[in-house]
Amino acid sequence: MRIKIESERRRGLRIIDEIPDIALCKIQGHNGIGKTNAIKLLSLCTGATPFRGDAGAWASFKSQLLAARIEISGLRDGENLEWDLEPSRWSDDPSEPLGDQIGALRINGRKAQFRDIHDILRVHHIVAAETPQNVLAGRVLEAQKDIQGWDAQRQLRVGVLDESLESIHSLITQLAPERVAAEVLAAKEARTRAVVLTEKRETANERMALLQRVKQVSDQLVEVRGQGPEMDAKLEDLKNQLAEIDRKKEELNKRIAEASARRHQDAEAEREFANAQKYLDRQDRAARNARTALDMLAASAEVDPQRDVIETAIQEASAKLTELTEKLPQVHAAPLVLEVLDDLVRRLSEAERENLGHATLLEVDGGSSEWTVSSLREALSSQREMLGQSTPSADAARLSDEIERTRERLYSLGLARNTLAEFETAESALSKAQVRLRAAAEGLPEQAARTLDDLMGARNDLDQEAAKVQTRHARLTHTRELLGGGLDEDSLSAELAQLCKQLGVKISRIHSQVASEAEKFEEIVRSETQAVQQAERAQQSLERREGETEQVLQQIQTAQDLGWVRNAVDIGRFGGMNLERKAALLCSISAQLERARNRLHRIDAAVSGTGTALSKLQAGLQDGTGQEEPEFLYDTATRHWLGREVQRWFEDPFVRKALFNGGTRIRLDPRDMTIFWINQNGEEERRPLTGFSSGQQVLAYTQAQIAKIDAEELPAANRLIALDEFGAFLDWKNMSSLVNLLRVRESGVSKDQVVVILPLEEDRLSGQEGNVPVDGQFRSLEDRGYYAEELST
């Protein structure tokens, strides 16, 4: 094959322009003329990475090569390859194959892709300097540079990854989903406790109602026994007085009618008088009924039946009702305040146990006074004790009772005011009836009129007396109805005995039993109130928690920037899950994220530690001193890695035959750079790694490398094998052996072209040796700086 290279480059980079079509070709020339660069450029074109592990050399080569055109002709089957290279498109990573970035490729004049080269041509570059020691050091250096390349951006990469993991992890941990199960259980227990206490309070409430009735019946029985008969006697006396007044009024009415019938001469006037008298009777009865109703309601409302008194009482009752209603929420809030105080006292007590009692929590008035942990705890404890003694739940019950009584009195006052208006209307109608009767009597003779006037005056006196007696009777009737609940002694005694038997209490211990159970009932009411409030707050907290959990899961499932979470974690469908299952799902995600963060930081530490260990190992390989410093975790890991690399490389049959005469179980001790192996006699041999640098070993290693190339299972149709830098390592005898090896294999590998690259020997140029360049070689040296010819000894 014939290779032509046209390159445009900056000063400092040189590349030879031709490799002739010579099966065994030797190229000699001045140092720096570009022999090796040409082979590296051809390696790049066929997919190799000749600058791998040397980023500096790659950056220099890429920046100085502006453009190049390569043409390879004379290939097997007459194929022709052409590249138009575009270095500006090449990757900055020397370990990354260029592929189609290499530039435009044509095969037999037609545009082709990079993958089409693989079966047509391969380039193998064997460098004589690659002794075992150099190879191992190079591999360690390559690994070290890979680590360093990654480590250069480690903080940025780790920071970005850690921030991504932390963002979603924080989103979840802020919810504290691990507490949900306990909160659900606590809420369930709070509801159960509230239900139990409510049932207990209802049962106790029924018993307390019966006990209160027992006490009421007992008190009524005492009242009836002491005052009932006297009141009954007074009522009977008042009733008799009203009956006597009614009898007298009836007698007066008859006398008035008789006087009217005897004295009246005008039938029409008589009828008018009779009608006026009937009308007066009707209005009199209506006024008496209105007076009775007014007196009863006024007695019930505990006021005098006067408009100004009733109006004042209504205003006072309304104001009191407003005051009581405003006070009720404060009393109901007392259990919650107690719970807050308990929580604060508990936390402050915990701080005191941590020796923080004298720590300042609050500064007042610019620092002139302060609250320490201990002083604030003492103040809150005192406040909690005072509030606890006031039995807030019982106070709320008493306040509610007082509000109910005030409302009932306000209602009674309102009825009394309305009834007063009806009574005033009735009295006005009665006055009009009296005026009408007097007007009708004007038609009577003078004597009859005077008689009627006297009779009417006597009737009016009876009316006034009847009103007074009626008022006293109404008030006493109301009082008597209150006394004993309207029941007599026998009825009250029977009810008291029945209730005491039902409750299992003795009549003699009624009051003490009521007082004792009232205290217990107040405690039950207070406990129930607190339990109900706790259950409500727990339920509200769970509802808020479920809403927040739903939002976080929805964000994880739909947010565009969290797609990586959905790819890593199977979030599934959570719509039908209860709160506990949702929390468990978030806990699972959080745990996976935390493990990922831990792995990230472990990897970061491992990479950093491995880079340091590789640097120490590479230094020991280069100077042949081994690893003499104390060994740490990653030093051990890299040493084992190198041991596996040595075993994998030296166990190759070609290398083993060339360097160890077919020995097995090859290993390296990096502490002193010693190679150990088992020879064919089963004995262990050892040799320092530096002991493999002789020309003979270079020749053996080269033979092994060529043998490995020949052993390719799927070789390309054409191969270019370049042996580089051998002049510095092989003497004349070993070089002759290499030439003989290449000539022997030439007949079996006609598709290969072998190029041996040698430096130009100064003594040959001076003519001190008999084998001096011919004229053509001189001209080529002068024009190109190198010459090419068939390889010979």
Side-chain angles (χ1 to χ4, degrees), residues 672-675 686-692:
D672 57 4
M673 294 295 114
T674 299
I675 298 289
R686 67 174 64 189
R687 181 183 300 176
L689 194 59
T690 54
F692 289 89

Side-chain angles (χ1 to χ4, degrees), residues 264-275 440:
H264 209 302
Q265 301 300 322
D266 188 344
E268 183 65 26
E270 183 179 351
R271 285 194 300 273
E272 174 62 23
F273 185 83
N275 290 335

